[in-house]
Amino acid sequence: MPAMQIPSDHPLLLRIVDDLYAQGWSQQNIFLPQDLTQELAAECHKRSVQGELSPAAVGRGPNQEVREGIRGDHIQWLEPGEALACDSYLGLMESLRIAMNRRLFLGLEDFESHFAMYPPGAFYLKHLDRFRDDDRRMVSAVVYLNDAWLPEHGGHLRMYLDDRGEYDVLPTGGCLVVFLSGEVPHEVMPATRDRLSLTGWFRRRAAQVLL
Ligand code: OGA
Ligand code: MN
């Protein structure tokens, strides 16, 4: 069975692109098919149990450090060819990349992503997904992998939006949130259960410095 694919002019993708253009972010509560969500959740859980996830660092390059007072998730970067479900997810993101480039001319060249698991009580303080010394990340995309998530479990993604202020998204399985990496401050609130997701960034080419 090949990895799942959708065409880059699929209505769901066009809706996301339209939202990004109009407001800089998009929320699709039903993005991943249920079976794919379950397979990705199982894959994330397996990696967590096998000890393959590591405490996430903040910063970049030599300045990277683990600081649980800033972010407390455990992550593993994704590579193609590791699991069919992961390749299906990467295929969907590739179709979204093409859809965004066609309509928004963002010049997105690649996509990097990782599994993330926030144990109970872990959080990620308010931040932007862009480094001071590297502005290649243009668009952030988070898909949630949690079965039967209830508001009382916490773990909201809180976005700080220009037009409506604080806006909370529940990390419910299959939901996708996309936003402009350099423009939407956001944070992850603590939860009472393990909180699983796949987080990724569409990047443009690094600006060339001509000397
Ligand atoms: C991140 C992040 C949001 C979320 O990993 O940079 O902000 O809801 N994740 O998991
Ligand atoms: Mn972030």
Side-chain angles (χ1 to χ4, degrees):
M1 187 177 59
M4 202 186 82
Q5 290 187 333
I6 57 171
S8 55
D9 61 354
H10 191 286
L12 185 54
L13 299 183
L14 297 182
R15 209 150 64 219
I16 295 166
V17 173
D18 280 346
D19 284 350
L20 267 181
Y21 180 80
Q23 59 187 21
W25 62 283
S26 182
Q27 173 186 356
Q28 302 298 326
N29 288 331
I30 304 176
F31 179 75
L32 291 184
Q34 238 175 16
D35 51 350
L36 182 56
T37 305
Q38 280 166 9
E39 286 167 32
L40 289 168
E43 183 69 27
C44 184
H45 187 71
K46 183 183 85 182
R47 292 177 186 212
S48 171
V49 169
Q50 290 175 350
E52 292 171 14
L53 307 185
S54 321
V58 295
R60 215 175 78 81
N63 299 323
Q64 268 202 359
E65 49 184 345
V66 172
R67 293 182 58 185
E68 282 169 15
I70 298 179
R71 72 183 286 193
D73 55 333
H74 291 63
I75 67 166
Q76 188 185 38
W77 292 94
L78 232 63
E79 299 292 342
E82 293 172 341
L84 190 63
C86 296
D87 287 351
S88 289
Y89 160 75
L90 290 173
L92 291 173
M93 293 296 118
E94 175 62 10
S95 296
L96 177 57
R97 185 183 72 83
I98 293 167
M100 290 190 288
N101 279 345
R102 281 212 182 119
R103 180 74 200 279
L104 306 176
F105 307 107
L106 287 174
L108 305 171
E109 289 213 316
D110 68 6
F111 180 71
E112 56 176 5
S113 62
H114 61 58
F115 278 114
M117 199 275 291
Y118 288 76
F123 54 84
Y124 193 160
L125 294 185
K126 186 175 174 184
H127 65 281
L128 285 174
D129 283 350
R130 195 174 264 187
F131 303 108
R132 262 184 294 271
D133 59 344
D134 177 353
D135 63 358
R136 280 177 299 162
R137 287 179 170 181
M138 296 294 291
V139 178
S140 306
V142 194
V143 295
Y144 300 105
L145 307 176
N146 306 296
D147 193 31
W149 196 276
L150 299 172
E152 53 264 39
H153 295 140
H156 302 83
L157 167 66
R158 176 164 296 167
M159 293 191 282
Y160 295 85
L161 302 171
D162 284 341
D163 53 344
R164 44 171 121 179
E166 289 180 17
Y167 179 78
D168 286 352
V169 178
L170 272 189
T172 307
C175 173
L176 167 76
V177 178
V178 179
F179 54 86
L180 297 177
S181 304
E183 290 180 23
V184 180
H186 57 280
E187 69 181 304
V188 178
M189 313 304 289
T192 58
R193 2 172 332 203
D194 285 352
R195 177 190 191 273
L196 310 182
S197 63
L198 273 164
T199 304
W201 296 273
F202 297 91
R203 302 190 302 183
R204 65 179 171 194
R205 188 198 298 267
Q208 295 291 318
V209 180
L210 300 174
L211 294 174

